[in-house]
Amino acid sequence: LLTIRTQEAELAKLQAQINPHFIYNTINAIQWTAIDRDEPEIAEMAYSVGQVFRLSLSGGQEFVTVAAEQELLYFYLSLQEKRFEDRLSYTLNFAPELLSVKIPKLLIQPLVENASVHGAADARSRVHITVNVTRSETGRIHIEVSDDGVGIPPKILALLPDRLPKNPEGPSSHFALRNISRPLQLYYGSDYVFHIDSTPHIGTDIVIDLPASLPAAERI
C-alpha cells in the first residue's frame, strides 16, 4: 500500500510538471500562428494569457515577490481591458521598496478578478479598479483593492470570509475569496487583516494587511 501511494505521488508530481508545460507550449503555438496570419491583437492576447499562466504557476512556489504579483496583474488586466473595452480602466500603485518582498501567491489577482468580472460585467458605466500596495506606518504591507462597480449585495457580503469565524467549514467555502483567507490564516495565524467593505451601486473596497517578513515556516 505504501509503495502504491508513493507511486501515485510520483505520478501526480510528474503530471504537474507535464501538463503546465503542454498548456504553455499550446498557448505559445497559438501566439505564433496569429503572428504568421497577421493577427497582432490575437497574438498579443495569447502572449498575455501565457504570461498569466506562467506567473500563476510561479514554478510551484507558495510565495512570490510583490513584483511578480504586479506583473501578473498587468497581463491579467490587459486581457480584461480587451474584454470589457471602454467599460474598464485601472490604476496600479506599487511602492518600489516592496517589490522584492515576498507574499503568498495569487493574493491580489483574485480580488482584481472579482472587481473586473463582477464589478464591471453588470455595471452601466465605466468601472475603475485601483490597486495600492504600500508600507504602513508600522512597517507592514498594506494592500488595498477598490472599484466603483456594482458592489456586493448585503446578503452575500455577510457570508464572505472576513465576516465569519476563522474555521475551515461554513457557507463561505463556496466563495473564491475563501482561497485568500485560508492561506492567510494558515501562514499568519491571527497576524493579518482581511476586510471587505461594499455598497451596492457604489463599489467595493478590500484591505489586506500583512507582516513585511515571511512566516517562520517559509524562511528558508
Side-chain angles (χ1 to χ4, degrees):
L1 182 59
L2 180 60
T3 301
I4 294 174
R5 289 181 176 175
T6 302
Q7 291 175 341
E8 289 176 344
E10 291 177 352
L11 178 60
K13 183 177 180 181
L14 181 60
Q15 289 174 336
Q17 294 172 343
I18 293 174
N19 294 338
H21 184 70
F22 169 76
I23 295 172
Y24 190 79
N25 282 344
T26 302
I27 294 171
N28 192 48
I30 294 171
Q31 177 191 353
W32 284 106
T33 300
I35 291 174
D36 289 340
R37 296 183 180 180
D38 195 25
E39 297 282 356
E41 185 173 1
I42 295 176
E44 182 182 348
M45 291 177 67
Y47 177 75
S48 294
V49 169
Q51 296 308 303
V52 167
F53 181 73
R54 175 181 65 83
L55 292 162
S56 298
L57 288 175
S58 65
Q61 300 297 313
E62 294 300 319
F63 281 73
V64 299
T65 63
V66 170
E69 192 79 354
Q70 180 187 37
E71 188 180 9
L72 171 60
L73 292 182
Y74 171 78
F75 286 114
Y76 176 78
L77 284 167
S78 70
L79 288 168
Q80 293 299 79
E81 269 192 318
K82 287 181 172 58
R83 173 186 177 183
F84 293 110
E85 297 180 338
D86 59 348
R87 287 188 292 156
L88 178 69
S89 61
Y90 64 90
T91 302
L92 304 180
N93 298 313
F94 282 68
E97 69 271 17
L98 293 178
L99 294 180
S100 62
V101 175
K102 289 191 174 183
I103 59 176
K105 72 174 182 180
L106 297 177
L107 183 63
I108 307 175
Q109 186 274 335
L111 301 178
V112 172
E113 182 173 345
N114 278 341
S116 59
V117 174
H118 300 295
D122 299 323
R124 297 179 180 177
S125 58
R126 187 184 186 91
V127 170
H128 189 81
I129 299 172
T130 301
V131 179
N132 291 311
V133 181
T134 58
R135 190 183 293 278
S136 69
E137 293 181 358
T138 58
R140 294 167 64 87
I141 301 173
H142 185 82
I143 300 168
E144 185 171 7
V145 178
S146 59
D147 69 78
D148 54 2
V150 297
I152 303 173
K155 289 183 179 180
I156 295 179
L157 188 63
L159 299 175
L160 292 177
D162 72 324
R163 308 298 178 97
L164 287 173
K166 295 178 181 177
N167 59 69
E169 304 298 332
S172 70
S173 62
H174 300 294
F175 294 90
L177 292 178
R178 169 66 78 179
N179 293 332
I180 296 176
S181 64
R182 290 286 298 281
L184 288 176
Q185 181 185 1
L186 176 65
Y187 294 130
Y188 299 100
S190 60
D191 191 19
Y192 73 91
V193 172
F194 179 37
H195 185 72
I196 304 169
D197 279 319
S198 187
T199 303
H201 310 298
I202 299 295
T204 301
D205 186 71
I206 302 177
V207 170
I208 296 177
D209 186 85
L210 303 171
S213 57
L214 281 172
E218 294 297 325
R219 295 172 194 164
I220 300 174

